[in-house]
Amino acid sequence: MLALRLIRGAHPLVLLRRLLVAAASAGVGFLLLCALTHALAHPGDSAASLRRLLWCAVPLAATVHLAVAVARTDPGTSPRTGLSAVGLGPGRLAVLAAVSTAVAGALGSTVALLFFLHLRGDLTGLPFDGAAAGALAAGRPLPTGATLTLLALVPLASTLAAALALRPRGAPAGPPEPAPAPPPPPGGLPWGCALTTAGLAVGAYAAAAGRGASVPLPGRLDAHPAGGLAGWALTAVGLAVAGPALTHFCGRLLQTRRPGAARLLAGRILMAEARRIGRPLGVVCAVASAVITAWSLYDTGPHPFGPLTGLGAVLVIACTTATLATSAVEARRLRAGATEDLRRLGAPRSTLRLAALLRVLALLAVLTPVTWAVATLAAVPLNR
């Protein structure tokens, strides 16, 4: 009941974030149910149905990533002075955040089920003149156990991920530690470069060899080997791992050659927030490189992307963008005190706005060529 009251009394922006999680959960639930109906309509082709189900893991992962970001930035579940005295310590607040995530995921899964049943004609007759009847196996009954299991995947995965991300980490017993030194630049760049290079190499080898089982997307995409898709997955992980280090480098780049107040402030903020926004930035770069690669394939060959593939792509793009926006808003909230101190010291608003613009330009100047290079290298062997 306390979690429901916190949800009801939350700020409109917080409610909007939770609605985004619910909408993403609804989209993934619909894709999972479509994979189930493909298995019902093609009982003799279980391998293809399993591959379609596994392809839903990509938007599922993006949705869980968004749910964790929203749970982290929920002000209603952040620790406050005095809450432990009434039984709302860090552990209880983490449970409340997980329950809020579960409620949003369950709402989305319910909407997905209702919309799916409506398209199948199980509620009020076949809509759209029965255009979706064949694709959704309208003449076959849905297995209740499998349907509920698939619909529970998103709420369960999101809840577990949020609970693990927000679990309290107790301080070690003993004498107080001395004040820590300022952090070193974030690591991960060597591993990110290695994973990205390995992914490009695997994709090029798979395309050149021309071997490997085809992996159809939920829609139509039957021409690309599994090795090439696995290579792109490695490339995406590499970009996500290298994101914090690249963001930190952008901050260092802004402070070169005798920076003024605006450049110095922008660079320091990027360096301080590299770990918070770097990983979502890396994920966005990975998704953008995949979009560029897919667009090049779309222009040079047949159009193998079906409507369900488009839905999955929209879900991944929307979730990764919303995750980055959520992390950026939370970073801005955390530095609000420092910003207010700067204003009290006489810093003009124009300098703060210029610093924000410089941060965006620096990130674009560094990450855009990286994204474009990765997309171009990934598309070269696929276009041959």
Side-chain angles (χ1 to χ4, degrees), residues 1-10 15 18 96 99-100 103-104:
M1 291 301 297
L2 179 58
L4 293 178
R5 289 181 180 179
L6 289 175
I7 293 174
R8 186 183 60 182
L15 291 177
R18 290 172 179 157
L96 291 177
V99 171
S100 300
V103 170

Side-chain angles (χ1 to χ4, degrees), residues 6 57 110 115 117 156 172 179 211 219 260 264 286 293 302-303 339 341 364 378:
L6 289 175
T110 303
F115 183 68
L117 294 177
L156 183 60
R211 296 189 296 269
L264 183 63
T293 303
H303 298 171
T339 303
D341 291 339
L364 289 177

Side-chain angles (χ1 to χ4, degrees), residues 17 20-21 24 61-71 318-324 326:
R17 295 173 189 168
L20 288 176
V21 174
T63 301
V64 171
H65 192 206
L66 173 61
V68 172
V70 171
C319 288
T320 52
T321 305
T323 301
L324 176 59
T326 300

Side-chain angles (χ1 to χ4, degrees), residues 28 41 54-55 82 87 90 94 98 108 130 148 180-181 216 221 249 251 313 327 357 369-370 374:
V28 176
L54 292 178
W55 262 111
L148 295 179
L221 184 59
F249 171 74
S327 300
L357 178 61
V370 172
V374 170

Side-chain angles (χ1 to χ4, degrees), residues 345-373:
L345 291 174
R349 293 181 181 270
S350 59
T351 301
L352 300 178
R353 288 194 292 265
L354 180 58
L357 178 61
L358 289 174
R359 293 198 300 271
V360 174
L361 293 178
L363 290 173
L364 289 177
V366 173
L367 297 180
T368 299
V370 172
T371 303
W372 189 267

Side-chain angles (χ1 to χ4, degrees), residues 12 24 57 248 257 346 374:
H248 191 274
R257 305 281 300 188
V374 170

Side-chain angles (χ1 to χ4, degrees), residues 90 116 235 301 327 341 383:
F116 183 79
T235 304
S327 300
D341 291 339
N383 286 324

